[in-house]
Structure formats: structure tokens, C-alpha cells
Amino acid sequence: MSSTVISDIAQLVTNDPSLGDESPLGLVRDAAVVIEGDRVVWTGESSKAPPTDNRVDAGGRAVVPGFVDSHSHLVFAGDRTEEFNARMSGRPYSAGGIRTTVAATRAASDAELEANLTRHLAEALRQGTTTFETKSGYGLTTADEARALRLAARHTDEVTFLGAHIVAPEYAGDPAAYVDLVTGEMLDACAPHARWIDVFCEEGAFDGDQARAILTAGRAKGLHPRVHANQLTYGPGVRLAVELDAASADHCTHLGDTDVDALASGRTVATLLPGAEFSTRAEWPDARRLLDAGVTVALSTDCNPGSSFTSSVPFCVALAVRDMGMTPDEAVWSATAGGAAALRRTDIGRLTPGAYADLTLLDAPSHVHLAYRPGVPLVAGVWRRGVREV
């Protein structure tokens, strides 16, 4: 097995406080990383790097762990440009627009859906994303949800069953019957293809009792909970997520003190999705409040065709720093180690021995440039599991 050293790194983010400056980012200056196979086997100062078979010169640029995008909706068809245009002209966002994508997704072939999925994955990879989670939720029939998960599972292990995105149009007059479908026949068909189960616990989607029934049924089938929580209004989603030990409560825009206290007392990560607030002109989540309370925070894109059509984690980092009260260090940590925590993974989101060799080379001397130079394509190279992809 050949080994490669990436040396002359001006600033290396390891996310290991025992290394470098002992900060949460574990910054090492004048650093090197040694890769063997698909893993990191050594991290430290360049002058102390062990001999290797190959060498890559970082040229005095910064290296960060590959971004971990722990919330996306990439199995879809169609376009919602008109909805976005109307929203930017004054119409508020609601959960109802999802039905437009449901119709287009149902009508698309498997080949069309997978081509769209891979196009967005390649787009994300060019921007430094090496791990992504993605969901179903635009089929809302047993067959369409199952095929979405099968397609997603060809490209990632982090697949989420989201039959409970909204009530399917056919069941608009009988939501209880749709919950029965999601927790019964649909779950049976979808569970073999997924790791996670999610529910949109929100006004216009599913209430707390419905969400509890869906998540509990999924957990009985071996799927671990995630929750779309407290995006549009105050509600029970965050507290339910913590109660059920969900890996992540996602959005977390409207929080009361009891919500923050619950997150601070449990293992559930608060995954913030600033692309959604940017695209809907909604109130920004208060990341500072969560961080000061001791909550683990992740940043993700929420890439979807309706409310956050971006695959760029760097863009979300910049928004979090500018509008959500995060420091550049906190935002980069949340987009890497935080995303890994939201997926309950310890083998990604960091650059330490034993972790996957997923790393992003920036055309900049510091990770701070991700927020300092918003909109600029700073990714100069991407390694995923030891292989240079960009």
C-alpha cells in the first residue's frame, strides 16, 4: 500500500484539540498529512513527517477536513424557479411548495433522477464536500420512496427515509391514513435501503403526535431518528428529537428556552441550515445562543429545489459567520466535525490517524478565508478516502 505526504501546509485544521494550538480546531502550522490507503496515518509539523512513497506540495495553502453535509434532499426532479421568484417578490415560504417537486419526481425515470443526483454530488465535491447525507421525501408513495432510497444508496451510506415530508396529495383529507401508510407498508419497503428516518414536524406537515408515531415505528425497524424541527414556527420538534435521542434536530430557527435546555442536556446535534433562511428571507437561527449554552452545532446546506438550492458548504459557512453569530473557527468546525457528529461518525470530519483521508485544499493561507472571501471558489483540491478527486 503506497503512502503520500501532503506537505508545506500553512495551516492544517485537524479538529483534534490535543494537536497544534490545542483549540477545538487543533490548528497545526507548517504542517503535513500522511495518507496510506484510504486513511490518515500521521499528522504534524512538516519537518517531522515520516518518509513516504509520494509527495504533494500544498504550496503554503490551508487544508481542512472534507466538509460533511449532513442534510440534503438530492433525489428529485423538476425546477421551482417560479416559486423562488414569487417568494423574492413578497410571497412567504410554506411547506406546500413541496407538492410541485413531488409531481415532477414521480414523473421522472430512474435514470433521470440518478443523473440529477450525480450532477449535484459532483458539484458539491468540487466545493469540498466529501460526505453527504440525503433523503427521500419527494415520492410519497411506497414505490417512489423506495426507489429514491435505492438510488441514493448507490452513492452514500447516509440515506434517510423521509416519507413523512408532507402528507401525500392523495391523503390530504385523511392525514391519519397517510401516517398509517408511512409507518406500515412504506416503512417495510424503505427500511432495508436506509440508515435514518426523518419527519417534518411542522405546521402544515406533521404534528408532534404524528411525528412521534413515525419516528418510533422507524426506530423499531432499526432506523435512527432525525427531525426537521422548529423551522417555520415554535413547536415540539426539538424536544421530541432530544427525547428520542435523535442524532440531529435540523433547522432550529424558532427556539424557546426549554428547547435550548433540552439540546444542551442531550446528545442531539442542532443542525443549522442557513441556505434555507437565505432563500426564504426567514429569521436567522441564533447559533450564538446555542453555542453559548453548550449545544453541539452542525452546518449543512439543506440542498433542495425549493427552499435552499445550494450545494455549497463554503457559502453556508460565510452566512453563518455573517448572520448567525458564529466565529469563522466555529463555522468551519460545525461544517466538518459538527456534521460528523450529526451523523454519529468519528471516522470523518477530522484529520487525525485512523480517520478517512477526506480533506480539502484551499487556495488560501487560512480556513478563515472561507468566510472572509464569500462566493470565491477557494477549493484547490479534494481528496476523498485517499484518492484525489479534484
Side-chain angles (χ1 to χ4, degrees), residues 4-360:
T4 298
V5 62
I6 304 173
S7 61
D8 193 20
I9 300 170
Q11 189 182 79
L12 173 68
V13 174
T14 68
N15 286 337
D16 184 342
S18 71
L19 299 175
D21 65 353
E22 300 182 353
S23 71
L25 290 186
L27 289 175
V28 181
R29 302 183 189 279
D30 188 19
V33 174
V34 176
I35 300 168
E36 192 172 283
D38 62 359
R39 302 281 177 162
V40 173
V41 296
W42 185 91
T43 297
E45 296 177 11
S46 270
S47 61
K48 299 176 182 178
T52 59
D53 302 310
N54 307 292
R55 180 176 179 273
V56 175
D57 188 345
R61 292 175 288 189
V63 168
V64 301
F67 299 122
V68 179
D69 193 348
S70 61
H71 182 128
S72 73
H73 303 250
L74 298 181
V75 185
F76 70 89
D79 181 272
R80 284 160 68 181
T81 303
E82 290 185 8
E83 177 189 324
F84 176 80
N85 192 35
R87 191 162 64 241
M88 293 301 103
S89 303
R91 191 176 80 192
Y93 174 71
S94 72
I98 294 168
R99 293 183 182 88
T100 304
T101 302
V102 169
T105 302
R106 288 178 177 181
S109 68
D110 288 10
E112 289 169 333
L113 291 176
E114 189 162 21
N116 196 48
L117 169 64
T118 56
R119 180 168 63 88
H120 287 106
L121 293 181
E123 181 181 273
L125 182 65
R126 291 194 298 271
Q127 297 172 94
T129 297
T130 53
T131 301
F132 73 97
E133 176 272 358
T134 201
K135 309 174 193 298
S136 64
Y138 291 127
L140 309 186
T141 68
T142 297
D144 284 305
E145 288 294 292
R147 74 161 176 159
L149 296 171
R150 284 197 304 269
L151 292 172
R154 295 176 185 175
H155 301 276
T156 181
D157 295 331
E158 303 298 345
V159 179
T160 301
F161 169 45
L162 183 60
H165 202 178
I166 58 169
V167 174
E170 298 84 355
Y171 290 83
D174 193 356
Y178 185 67
V179 172
D180 288 342
L181 175 67
V182 170
T183 58
E185 172 191 301
M186 189 184 289
L187 176 60
D188 289 342
C190 291
H193 309 292
R195 180 183 179 201
W196 307 97
I197 186 166
D198 198 346
V199 60
F200 191 7
C201 184
E202 186 61 71
E203 185 177 325
F206 298 89
D207 65 25
D209 290 340
Q210 293 168 328
R212 182 191 304 279
I214 290 163
L215 296 172
T216 301
R219 195 164 60 175
K221 289 286 187 179
L223 303 183
H224 203 81
R226 321 180 69 75
V227 184
H228 280 60
N230 299 54
Q231 177 186 6
L232 306 178
T233 58
Y234 294 94
V238 164
R239 295 188 299 279
L240 178 62
V242 175
E243 176 193 331
L244 296 180
D245 190 35
S248 181
D250 298 32
H251 287 291
C252 295
T253 306
H254 298 278
L255 301 179
D257 289 345
T258 55
D259 299 312
V260 176
D261 290 345
L263 288 165
S265 66
R267 294 198 302 163
T268 301
V269 174
T271 298
L272 307 184
L273 308 168
E277 279 69 40
F278 176 88
S279 185
T280 61
R281 287 183 172 162
E283 177 183 341
W284 296 102
D286 189 349
R288 184 78 270 136
R289 179 186 182 192
L290 290 165
L291 290 164
D292 288 348
V295 177
T296 300
V297 172
L299 282 177
S300 187
T301 65
D302 190 20
C303 186
N304 75 83
S307 60
S308 183
F309 203 9
T310 180
S311 59
S312 175
V313 173
F315 174 65
C316 293
V317 166
L319 291 179
V321 172
R322 169 63 177 80
D323 291 304
M324 288 163 45
M326 299 185 86
T327 67
D329 283 14
E330 289 167 338
V332 170
W333 189 94
S334 293
T336 52
L343 296 174
R344 298 217 165 144
R345 297 275 298 272
T346 59
D347 55 354
I348 56 175
R350 60 188 180 92
L351 292 175
T352 55
Y356 279 116
D358 295 347
L359 54 94
T360 296

